[in-house]
Amino acid sequence: MIDIDQIVKRYGTVDVLKGVSMEFRLGTLTALIGANGSGKSTLLSAVGRLVPHEDGVVNVAGEPLTRWDTRSLAQRLAVLRQSPGVDLRLTVEELVEFGRFPHNKGVLTDDDRAAVERAIRYLDLGAIRHASIHTLSGGQKQRAFIAMVIAQDTDYILLDEPLNNLDMRHAGRIMAVLTTLAHRDGRAVVVVLHDINMAAAYADYIVALRDGTVVHAGDIDSTMQESVMERVFGVAFPVVQVGHRPFCIYHMAPQDDPAAQEDPVDRNPVVEACC
Amino acid sequence: MVHAKARSNTRVILIYSAVAVLLLIMVTLYIGRGVTTTNAAYYLSRRLPKVTAMILAAGGTGIAALVFQTVTGNRLLTPSVMGIDALFVLLQTVVVALSGAEAVILTNPHLGFVVSVVLMVVFASTLLRVLFTRQQDGGGMTRVLLAGVVMGILFRSVSGFVQMVIDPNEFTVVQDNIFASVNNVSAPVIPLAAPIMAAAALIIIMHHRVLDAIALGRDQAVALGVNYSRKVGLLITAATVLVASATAMVGPLPFMGLVASNIVRHSMTSWRHRTMVFAVTITGVAILMGVELVRDFTGSVIPLGTAIKFMGGITFLALLLRGEQ
């Protein structure tokens, strides 16, 4: 279990996380949602020890983050930041093999190869496994990085916006794989998601952040309420029932359009003739 | 696509092996030219230290540049861009200005070498460690780069100022010391420099897989369990030791590391440091040896540093214009 207690993260004088507490249990998939700048990515990076936090405690498997040796932690916890880039000319397969680095320090064993094969299959990368990363589209690159994280084979998997750049088919497939990893293999999967309908369709729990504090945490039904959504995102939109799942129709939220309230800009000013 | 990549990699490795063989021939040529049984003792005592110094300096500068670029994630960053050469020049100038041309630090080669290396390593590794470990987010690298460039300018202008005000005779001594040359290498320094540089290179070679992971970027490396600040500190220090020793031995070789490492990064399809460290050593030695041989055969009076800068500049421009393939 990952247990977060009153964590504070400050950039300069701005508190990005103002004493956030929550827990991520093994066997569950938790979605972090919130508007831009709500602190969800920072929270994920702090829990994954990619950025230090100023105050509070993060316990991973009962041990505070600061006491973990970084390599031992990498064998238990995998973290992927949003849209990672890489400047190397490596192939998809070689990138996925890096996921085994915490276990083997770079020398592949048969077990490592099996884990790499599994990750490549889960992420549907077989056809492009020998393609160079820098020739891929944004979505293909994203899937290659997720495969690397899955090859790392950890109890805790933290992903920041894993569905960025992905088409519908691959987005759904990745969420299904993550659900299986959580429910069948008993891992704790935490994903920052932009699309709340994806969260509602696949997650067990949703944690909603706003301005660096948790405004709501609970299961799907308690979260997918119009009142909760308005508190989280600051706009009101209808939540309907599609099949057995709640569904947000955020495209139909009443918008205040500042452009429409202004006087039109004269784009063809008449140049007064001089002389 | 697999086959294409495998084939081109084999081809590149073949080319590098061919260059290595060529180098061997060049070295033999260089050492053996005009040697007869009567003059062998004298010629060899002059040429062997020279060749050893060239191999150490060129290989060390190349490896150091490669490590710097990987750690900083920037292909244009080398220890000399960070002002290490300028610091060496400043040290030489200040020593002469303060204690005259007869200073024991200048006349005793061992002492001079040790003092220069220690000061350069302490300066560079302190500056870099502070900058690297304190600033962990995106802006960090730009700041490191800027700090280095500004520091270089500062060192150069202080040196320039001191050189203006010192005695003209002393200035000649300074000038002799700050121009790269393999002819002034004092043989007694080599047994001291060689093991130090070998140890630093060994540390880097032993970390070749860690360097591969660091090349993915800081966050990825940390996520994969690399103890980032410790490993980066160690690798930067080792690279600084290499370049400081090379500079103290033959003088500043700006451009050298930059050109060698970029030739390797452009020509190789492999991103693995195991292969790149080997290739950059060969490339570095080939460049230095080639330039020195041409100078030697033509009896050119152009200083070594200038010749390398000229050739390096052209190569580098060509690489930039050709672009990524």
Side-chain angles (χ1 to χ4, degrees), chain A residues 180-200:
Chain A
T180 308
L181 289 176
H183 295 164
R184 188 194 65 193
D185 302 344
R187 299 161 203 258
V189 182
V190 183
V191 281
V192 170
L193 286 180
H194 217 72
D195 184 346
I196 39 176
N197 290 326
M198 275 290 183

Side-chain angles (χ1 to χ4, degrees), chain A residues 50 81 89 94 105 148, chain B residues 218-220 271 324:
Chain A
L50 297 181
R81 271 195 152 173
R89 290 191 211 172
E94 288 168 336
K105 287 191 165 175
M148 177 181 88
Chain B
R218 180 193 170 269
D219 284 349
Q220 287 310 323
W271 45 269
E324 286 288 333

Side-chain angles (χ1 to χ4, degrees), chain B residues 178-191:
Chain B
I178 61 175
F179 272 120
S181 163
V182 287
N183 291 318
N184 308 346
V185 178
S186 65
V189 166
I190 290 172

Side-chain angles (χ1 to χ4, degrees), chain B residues 107 214-215 266:
Chain B
T107 48
I214 288 175
H266 269 264

Side-chain angles (χ1 to χ4, degrees), chain B residues 89-308:
Chain B
V89 172
L90 179 65
L91 281 176
Q92 297 288 331
T93 313
V94 167
V95 165
V96 173
L98 291 183
S99 37
E102 296 307 312
V104 65
I105 193 171
L106 294 172
T107 48
N108 179 333
H110 285 130
L111 188 66
F113 178 80
V114 170
V115 170
S116 309
V117 170
V118 167
L119 281 177
M120 279 190 275
V121 170
V122 167
F123 156 76
S125 52
T126 311
L127 171 76
L128 291 168
R129 272 167 194 251
V130 167
L131 287 168
F132 269 109
T133 46
R134 189 172 297 168
Q135 190 75 12
Q136 297 190 322
D137 36 28
M141 210 41 67
T142 322
R143 228 169 58 171
V144 173
L145 186 65
L146 259 177
V149 171
V150 170
M151 213 76 83
I153 295 172
L154 176 72
F155 292 158
R156 270 181 210 105
S157 26
V158 174
S159 310
F161 173 72
V162 177
Q163 285 164 13
M164 292 288 188
V165 297
I166 57 175
D167 179 274
N169 292 321
E170 290 182 342
F171 175 67
T172 331
V173 175
V174 173
Q175 219 174 14
D176 268 352
N177 288 334
I178 61 175
F179 272 120
S181 163
V182 287
N183 291 318
N184 308 346
V185 178
S186 65
V189 166
I190 290 172
L192 186 65
I196 295 175
M197 293 180 77
L202 195 67
I203 289 176
I204 290 169
I205 291 166
M206 277 165 42
H207 280 85
H208 71 89
R209 292 203 171 87
V210 173
L211 279 164
D212 290 345
I214 288 175
L216 293 176
R218 180 193 170 269
D219 284 349
Q220 287 310 323
V222 172
L224 293 174
V226 174
N227 189 334
Y228 191 78
S229 45
R230 214 181 68 202
K231 291 296 181 194
V232 163
L234 177 70
L235 288 164
I236 287 278
T237 309
T240 317
V241 167
L242 279 180
V243 78
S245 309
T247 311
M249 202 161 48
V250 305
L253 294 170
F255 252 130
M256 173 80 211
L258 190 69
V259 171
S261 56
N262 274 290
I263 287 178
V264 169
R265 287 185 191 273
H266 269 264
S267 65
M268 291 231 131
T269 43
S270 176
W271 45 269
R272 292 186 204 272
H273 284 78
R274 191 178 47 205
T275 326
M276 286 200 293
V277 167
F278 154 79
V280 84
T281 311
I282 292 180
T283 312
V285 177
I287 294 173
L288 190 55
M289 201 78 88
V291 171
E292 185 60 18
L293 267 187
V294 170
R295 286 183 64 237
D296 214 47
F297 276 111
T298 56
S300 164
V301 290
I302 303 168
L304 178 64
T306 313
I308 286 188

